Amino acid sequence: MASSDFLGALEDAFDASAVSMAEADLRIHAVDQGPLEHWETQLPLAVVFAESVEDVQKLVRLAGEHGVAVVTRAAGTSVSGGANAVTGSVVLNLTRMNRILQVRPEDEVAVVEPGVINAELNAAVAEHGLMYAPDPASYRTSTIGGNVATNAGGLRCAKYGVTRDSVLALDVVLADGTLIRTGSATFKGVAGYDLTSLFVGSEGTLGIIVGITVRLRYLSPKVETIAAFFDDLPTAAQGVLEIGRARVQPAIMELLDRGTMQALDGAHGSDLAQRGAALLLLQTDGYGAQIEAEMIREVLVKLGGRVSAPGDEESNRLVNLRRHARGDGIVNEARVGEDVAVPRSQLVKYVEALEGLAAEHRVDLKVVAHAGDGNLHPTFSVSSDDGVIPAEAMERLQAALDGSVRVALDMGGTITGEHGIGTYKLRWLGWEQNDDVIALQRQIKQAFDPNNLLNPNRAIL
């Protein structure tokens, strides 16, 4: 059917305030925050702002009748192109489904709609001495639904895991408009296949998440933050392994190199890069926070680290500064940040390999990492004084990116630790997964979405 028929059906089915075909809205919803050089921007036919589960079901059924693809998004903070519009699609925006439906302190669970902002949920449950553990750097703007769709991570991953580890149950609208519920509100549950975990990280390709039951954790009464500066990045990375050997488990364990610190200094007026070539930023929590912090300080001093003293207020400010570590760039540059993860035992070797790749391909490098779980975000870039990036420089940039992925896989790692495949990383998926695994995933996609209308051509080849 013609797109005009679908648009007419949309206008008949929804209030005017729920549907936009204005060019400004279409452009805003055409892309997320991922790199754009590998595809052309496609404007959607329309944007639908759902306010209820029934709205989502209605749109999915209409789209199915007209053969129109549905791309679901909320805040658009994805950095892998997973929320980019495709040709002839409708974008479903879930930001208006933003209610915290239940907080049950004794059960240590909350039930939320997908448009709830991560930080707002944390503020609500803090009143009960609880927290929602996943905390991506974008937690002040990213939504729980988007976090679930990409299985987002965050700074507290070192101790509390990624989003999947805090999701107990989901309400999902399938491709035919059917509403199902997976999982349960209990911490344990093994009835049937684990469909909840299947939907987490599926990037909107199997169903549209419209309700989330999350597990809450205890909000720590004590927190100790430690900043340790080192003369080189590999030694700082070695500090992560030495802390593990001491059998101490920080809640946060972040690694920043000099390039990252220089970018932060330029944007925020700090002086981090004057104090070392690498920064290891850690936080312990719980009633043993102080004891664990002292053990960590002892380990890092032995490695030659310049370690902050107990009660240092600047260290806490550095945690907030760390959340800006990937967003501060230079206008006249082309840059791509990656999301690889390697076994922690390979962390030092991988950091050294990144520095070698940057030198080999003559590109600039910044490294920031959730070092506690081996998830690194290396950013390679090339620049030009006149604002035009030569084709030869872009080739070197892509070669460095490909090399960083190859090395990570050779070390037993993965091409994405928390950002998802989206569109951008499809080119590397076949490097990690063999044909049999990819074929099985295609069968799963076919079973859930036989007409390939839910966020098509994402997440799997």
Side-chain angles (χ1 to χ4, degrees), residues 142-185:
S142 65
T143 62
I144 302 297
N147 295 168
V148 172
T150 58
N151 193 25
L155 275 65
R156 288 194 291 249
C157 287
K159 185 172 184 177
Y160 296 102
V162 294
T163 297
R164 178 178 286 116
D165 300 304
S166 292
V167 174
L168 298 174
L170 294 172
D171 299 317
V172 183
V173 173
L174 300 179
D176 64 357
T178 301
L179 175 66
I180 65 168
R181 181 173 177 79
T182 71
S184 65

Side-chain angles (χ1 to χ4, degrees), residues 59 92 108 125 133 136 139 151 190 254 278 292 325 356 385 397 436:
L59 174 62
L92 171 60
E108 298 165 22
V125 301
Y139 79 107
N151 193 25
V190 291
E254 299 292 300
E292 292 180 338
D385 293 336
L397 176 62
D436 291 336

Side-chain angles (χ1 to χ4, degrees), residues 14 77 79 100 164 433:
F14 290 90
T77 57
V79 293
I100 299 174
R164 178 178 286 116
Q433 297 182 339

Side-chain angles (χ1 to χ4, degrees), residues 17 35 92 94 129 159 187 307 434:
S17 62
L92 171 60
L94 298 178
K159 185 172 184 177
F187 296 164
V307 183
N434 65 33

Side-chain angles (χ1 to χ4, degrees), residues 280-362:
L280 195 55
L281 191 60
L282 307 105
Q283 198 169 80
T284 58
D285 64 0
Y287 287 102
Q290 185 174 352
I291 296 172
E292 292 180 338
E294 286 304 318
M295 295 174 68
I296 290 171
R297 287 188 180 94
E298 182 178 341
V299 167
L300 298 182
V301 167
K302 287 181 179 178
L303 278 177
R306 294 174 289 282
V307 183
S308 60
D312 178 45
E313 293 184 4
E314 184 200 36
S315 298
N316 290 316
R317 292 195 296 271
L318 291 180
V319 173
N320 289 324
L321 197 61
R322 154 62 185 95
R323 296 184 185 278
H324 298 279
R326 285 174 55 81
D328 302 305
I330 302 169
V331 174
N332 291 335
E333 74 172 4
R335 62 173 183 151
V336 180
E338 263 316 308
D339 174 44
V340 296
V342 297
R344 284 210 327 182
S345 61
Q346 300 298 312
L347 189 61
V348 176
K349 290 182 180 179
Y350 188 67
V351 165
E352 292 172 338
L354 288 174
E355 294 179 329
L357 285 166
E360 176 186 353
H361 297 290
R362 293 178 288 117

Side-chain angles (χ1 to χ4, degrees), residues 151-271:
N151 193 25
L155 275 65
R156 288 194 291 249
C157 287
K159 185 172 184 177
Y160 296 102
V162 294
T163 297
R164 178 178 286 116
D165 300 304
S166 292
V167 174
L168 298 174
L170 294 172
D171 299 317
V172 183
V173 173
L174 300 179
D176 64 357
T178 301
L179 175 66
I180 65 168
R181 181 173 177 79
T182 71
S184 65
T186 59
F187 296 164
K188 291 183 178 179
V190 291
Y193 295 134
D194 187 359
L195 296 180
T196 302
S197 291
L198 180 61
F199 281 111
V200 177
S202 63
E203 302 187 45
T205 62
L206 302 180
I208 298 170
I209 296 166
V210 292
I212 307 126
T213 301
V214 298
R215 178 178 184 174
L216 304 175
R217 308 282 181 162
Y218 302 135
L219 187 62
S220 177
K222 295 184 180 297
V223 172
E224 290 280 336
T225 307
I226 305 162
F229 290 89
F230 291 86
D231 291 331
D232 61 83
L233 188 60
T235 302
Q238 183 65 38
V240 175
L241 301 182
E242 296 302 324
I243 291 169
R245 292 190 180 103
R247 297 300 182 253
V248 184
Q249 180 59 74
I252 292 176
M253 194 183 305
E254 299 292 300
L255 180 65
L256 291 75
D257 74 346
R258 186 189 295 276
T260 301
M261 292 191 289
Q262 288 174 334
L264 288 172
D265 290 345
H268 300 279
S270 50
D271 64 348

Side-chain angles (χ1 to χ4, degrees), residues 356-379:
L357 285 166
E360 176 186 353
H361 297 290
R362 293 178 288 117
V363 298
D364 294 323
L365 172 68
K366 293 190 296 185
V367 178
V368 61
H370 305 303
D373 55 17
N375 183 194
L376 300 99
H377 300 308
T379 297

